[in-house]
Amino acid sequence: MTGYILSVVTSVVVYMIAGLGLNLEYGWGGLLNITYITFVAIGAYISATLTMGPANSSQAHYILGFHLPWIVGVIGGMVAAGILGLLVGIITLRKLRADYFAIGTLAVGLILFTVIGQDPAIFNAQEGLYNVPQPLSSALDWGLNGYGIMFFFLCLAFLVGVYILCEFLYRSPFGRAARSTRQDEIASAAFGKDAFALQLKLFVVGSVLGGLAGALLVTYAQAYNPAAWQATETFFLFVAIFIGGTSNNRGVLIGIFIVEGLITEATRYLPQIPGHADAIPSARQILIGVLIVVILRWRPQGFFPEPTDRDVKIESRQRGGLAGRVTGLAGLRHGTAGPVELAAEKASAGREGGGT
Amino acid sequence: MTVFEHAIGFGLVTAAILSLSAVALSLQYGVTNIPNFSHGAFLVVASYIAFEMQRVSSNLFLDALIGGLSGAALGYVINRFVIRSFTRQGTRLIIVFIVTIGISIIVQNALALFFGNQAQALHLPIEKAHHVGPFIWTGPEIVIMLVALGFMLATHVLLRYTKFGKAQRAISDNVSLAQVAGINAERIVTITWMIAGFMAGISGVVLAVDTGSFVPTTGFFFLLPTFAVVIVGGIGSAYGAMVGSLIIGLAMEIAAPYINASYKEVIAFAILAGFLLLRPHGIFKTSEERAQLQ
């Protein structure tokens, strides 16, 4: 039982890192990367093959196999995912509309999925990697669940670090500029913000975090193959972000807990339907699809909406009290918003976007 | 008969199937401005309905027609009960796009729930090969190409010579202007979704006939080549989609003998990525038209 709980909480913590990474891309930047799981997979594959010994050609084929220390593997996985993000970002971000961008990311994801799934020389195709080494597993006597507990706290430490980083970025001039670009690209550009550079940075940081999640995931599971990174995995993360409230770090953590913890684990115990082995995974995915439609229809801001938007509005109303009243009069007189309100809005946009 | 000619023969069949799916998507994308991620659902639902119909009737044409009609019905339902409630409240298009991803997941897994994930196949009459010029085709393959040709002609007539086609083009240019001119935009949009569903459904059935089997994810994996065609041809351009399906279909099959055959789709995705990079507005759109788009 302890082992089971450990496996659930560890995977939830790792998915939280991935969720924060995707939230950087989609929530902050409005970048609809519908193949985020591919970046997680690249992190997993590269970190695993860096730490594994050379491929024994009679059993498995894979590239690399350098027997490097675990932490080097993790960093290598993050760098690899980041480089992939940089390449994809440079290609797709420069001039594409949001829908083209999404389709472009999907094309990249499916190309990699097909090639890695079919070519046994890269990452052993469908059979995938197994016997991925775990750090410190033989250095100490861990007892029954000792290693699992240690690894959980290791992942938790990574999550705390990533969360602090995201919160720091959120409040930083970079984070504010990035979100202002999502809200109004033209206004943000008018304040001298380079939308392409901001979005590319978000995309690379998001990819690196995906790579970290992949590296932790593969260390924990000790095995990895294409079944672990099907296209639908990304949509689980998106639902978590929608539930939590797009762009809100804390909300995303809660969303991941609900989706990866409660929904995935609770549906595992539904009674099996005889002769229908696929019924429960299908039912779970139908639930995910329904959640996407229902949340976007009736609660698009999520259950823990982005905090700053409202705060900024209240703040500007308080600060611009006079301006607000003048606007009221002007509005009465002309039936429209007066120039004063526009000026007040510009000022608040300046606060939101400025500072870099 | 060289490998190359053989590949062109295959490529024309693939292009025929693609053209049905892609012209449908392009029409719907052009008129509603929504990139429909659940387009693959039309194909695969129609395949399963045709498969079920085979228990009742052995006439494959009738089964395909019923399959296509089920696609039309699905198009009606998706638009009327899901998409419309979003567009009416002015939801951003990218959100509607995500909603269509949700629909695609629901339909695909509902099929898996009812029929299981194992491959299903339509019962086909055993056919001998026919030599047509330098090509060798089976009977069903020839029928598939004739069906596609028929649909392309019908699309041409619909767009050029009917009031409906005119209204459709007006809406895809500018909705509010079209409405001012007395066009019932909502009705045109509804019918467009149904036509798209019907054509995509027929495409799904002929895809099942051509490849021999299908699974609930077949539609999803055919979606990307379809998107590739639509973007190569230029969104909203039915004629562009026709040319685009020839380009993508031929490229996929001509490349297949030289690379691993399972990489066929990769060719389509690579062309898609190349076009997104170099000519995201498609091969035909002039810079003037592009300016209008922006």
Side-chain angles (χ1 to χ4, degrees), chain A residues 26 30 32 34 90-92 95-104 106-108 110-111 113-115 118-119 182 231-232 235 238 242 273 276 278-283 285-286 288-290 292-293 296-297, chain B residues 29 33 35 37 82 85-86 89 92 94-95 97-99 101-103 105-106 108-110 112-118 220-221 223-224 227 231 235 260 262-263 266 269-270 272-273 276-278 280-281 293:
Chain A
Y26 175 72
L32 189 59
I34 50 180
I90 287 175
I91 293 175
T92 51
K95 52 189 169 182
L96 295 187
R97 288 180 356 196
D99 49 349
Y100 283 27
F101 173 80
I103 296 165
L106 185 64
V108 171
L110 285 181
I111 289 175
F113 191 79
T114 312
V115 172
Q118 299 288 340
D119 190 343
R182 183 203 66 199
T232 43
F235 304 132
F238 268 112
F242 295 151
I273 302 164
H276 238 326
D278 305 319
I280 289 174
S282 299
Q285 297 203 0
I286 290 175
I288 290 296
V290 170
I292 289 179
V293 176
L296 291 179
R297 175 68 180 83
Chain B
Y29 201 161
N33 210 10
F37 200 87
V82 188
S85 67
F86 284 93
Q89 61 178 18
R92 281 185 303 143
I94 198 67
I95 300 293
F97 175 65
I98 300 171
V99 169
I101 295 178
I103 299 170
I105 296 175
I106 295 170
Q108 184 179 313
N109 287 287
L113 206 57
F114 283 116
F115 297 98
N117 277 321
Q118 71 277 16
F220 170 73
F221 283 103
L223 177 69
L224 250 270
F227 261 125
I231 285 168
I235 287 171
N260 187 333
S262 50
Y263 289 170
V266 173
F269 304 157
L272 168 64
L276 283 179
L277 192 58
L278 301 171
H281 40 88
L293 276 178

Side-chain angles (χ1 to χ4, degrees), chain B residues 30-31 159 163-179 181 183 185 188:
Chain B
V31 171
L159 288 180
K163 222 173 174 181
F164 173 77
K166 250 188 209 165
Q168 216 178 22
R169 277 182 290 145
I171 289 173
S172 89
D173 270 355
N174 187 330
V175 183
S176 16
L177 213 60
Q179 278 173 324
I183 294 169
I188 302 287

Side-chain angles (χ1 to χ4, degrees), chain B residues 75-132:
Chain B
Y76 179 81
V77 169
I78 288 177
N79 174 54
R80 175 68 183 77
F81 296 105
V82 188
I83 305 288
R84 190 187 281 182
S85 67
F86 284 93
T87 47
R88 270 197 183 158
Q89 61 178 18
T91 309
R92 281 185 303 143
L93 285 176
I94 198 67
I95 300 293
V96 184
F97 175 65
I98 300 171
V99 169
T100 63
I101 295 178
I103 299 170
S104 141
I105 296 175
I106 295 170
V107 173
Q108 184 179 313
N109 287 287
L111 289 172
L113 206 57
F114 283 116
F115 297 98
N117 277 321
Q118 71 277 16
Q120 309 283 11
L122 296 172
H123 302 290
L124 299 174
I126 296 161
E127 278 277 345
K128 62 178 187 343
H130 302 270
H131 289 261
V132 184

Side-chain angles (χ1 to χ4, degrees), chain B residues 249-260:
Chain B
L250 287 172
M252 279 166 75
E253 299 297 342
I254 289 172
Y258 305 103
I259 55 169
N260 187 333

